[in-house]
Amino acid sequence: MPNGDENYDILTYLEDYVKDYPDKEIRVINAAINLFSEKGFSATSTKEISKRADMAEGTIFRYFPTKDAILERMVPLLIHAIKPKLEKPVKDIIAERAGEPVGDIFATIILDRLNIIRGNGRLLKSVLPELMYREALQQQLTQSLLPMIRGYVSQVLEEGRKRAEIGPHVSANTAMHQLLGFILAYSLFGSKDEAQAKKDVEEFMDGVMKGWAANAQD
Amino acid sequence: MPNGDENYDILTYLEDYVKDYPDKEIRVINAAINLFSEKGFSATSTKEISKRADMAEGTIFRYFPTKDAILERMVPLLIHAIKPKLEKPVKDIIAERAGEPVGDIFATIILDRLNIIRGNGRLLKSVLPELMYREALQQQLTQSLLPMIRGYVSQVLEEGRKRAEIGPHVSANTAMHQLLGFILAYSLFGSKDEAQAKKDVEEFMDGVMKGWAANAQD
DNA sequence: ATAATGAGTGAGTGCTCACTCATTATAACA
DNA sequence: TGTTATAATGAGTGAGCACTCACTCATTAT
């Protein structure tokens, strides 16, 4: 197993969602996720998948008409793994943590997001590279996620403005790229250590909030 | 041609570097870059490459011992395309633009970087996805680029501190992730329009510098 | 005029691929 | 238990793969 990750198992992360999938189907998807993330989609053969899933090659094609269909099935899984974490409306989080500054709330959200990415790293690594060459899948994912993210960033910015913690000069678009970018870069190159990540994220958000501050000098 | 990009040609971007490569070799690499970026490495056959390069399939193997070797040749090309842009020492840039605030200088650097990424998008798209499965290539690239980037970020921070534009609370590591992240996210999801990009980058750097300001309230 | 060269060729090679299907094992019900 | 329905199997299939090699022929040396 490369890069020290343990084997991914959908049941650990998405049990509620896949609980009435046939057992065989889950085994195929699990095997495929792990192989695709190790060697890539095209370099993985259906024979290998069947071996890893501990069944005959023919059985795969009872449950999936083509090899492509296995990959395509992963996209809704990925969306489902990520969306609910984003979905918990930010206003709720703000309500829950009513006293705290918006910057701390953002820091919590970012850390949460980094953990999602880490937990579903293999699923991401299976699907994302192939998205580059499959526009249909790509749009399925970005159209279902990007506007929502922008919406929630907007909400938090608005909340921050009401509380006079954030000035009017900050656009949702730039803010989104700023946050998304940090998450992306940190999940690729950042520290794997949880405590270090917490420190880094807090320092990052601290700086960001100072830049966004309502009373920042022009 | 997907996503509207024109065909990539090494000679446009790296003529000085490849000028004494044999003509056939350049044609193979060009064909491969364009095909890999469209369909991926594994999904591209050597027969297709030969067709696109307008030569017999056998001729490819006179110049490259294996298909893998074509990909491996692209890594130094990619490093060479990106490194010199980073290499122009930041102190030089600061000296050249002596009067301007560090934030503006950063904005210029970031825009420059976005253009490099845009110009070499196909080369990046050919190589980056395969890096995920090839640790050797991955290390070749990150070890040759990341420490250098951190070094230059450090330099600019130091310069900013001397000028009292940046406070002592900003670490090179977080700053690097912040800048790298924005570049990454913006090159993936950001506006393709040059003028809009300039505006977004300036707004981003404006916010960042306010956050980094020496006199930011704690 | 003749000989030597080697870049270029593309049919051929053994092999692997995604996918099929006749056969066998298991389950369901009488 | 016997009969039927469903599930699982893995050898088989043609297509396509990366790579080879015997051969061609324009160019150069003699």
Side-chain angles (χ1 to χ4, degrees), chain B residues 24 59 62-63:
Chain B
K24 291 270 156 61
T59 309
R62 275 197 180 281
Y63 294 89

Side-chain angles (χ1 to χ4, degrees), chain A residues 73-94:
Chain A
R73 178 76 115 236
M74 289 180 188
V75 176
L77 285 177
L78 186 60
I79 290 175
H80 188 84
I82 288 183
K83 207 162 179 174
K85 303 282 193 159
L86 301 171
E87 204 98 63
K88 186 168 169 48
V90 184
K91 275 189 179 167
D92 285 8
I93 297 182
I94 292 179

Side-chain angles (χ1 to χ4, degrees), chain B residues 45-65:
Chain B
S45 71
T46 47
K47 182 152 210 143
E48 284 175 290
I49 296 174
S50 73
K51 253 176 101 174
R52 181 84 58 114
D54 202 29
M55 65 181 68
E57 198 177 356
T59 309
I60 289 178
F61 292 94
R62 275 197 180 281
Y63 294 89
F64 299 90

Side-chain angles (χ1 to χ4, degrees), chain B residues 122-141:
Chain B
R122 284 182 167 262
L123 184 50
L124 273 161
K125 208 172 163 185
S126 297
V127 174
L128 286 189
E130 284 306 308
L131 287 187
M132 309 215 80
Y133 319 117
R134 295 158 191 264
E135 235 171 302
L137 294 195
Q138 198 181 90
Q139 289 192 353
Q140 215 176 316
L141 206 87

Side-chain angles (χ1 to χ4, degrees), chain B residues 18-38:
Chain B
V18 298
K19 64 172 176 293
D20 11 66
Y21 281 37
D23 165 67
K24 291 270 156 61
E25 208 165 306
I26 291 181
R27 273 159 60 201
V28 170
I29 293 174
N30 266 329
I33 288 175
N34 287 293
L35 285 164
F36 291 173
S37 69
E38 281 163 27

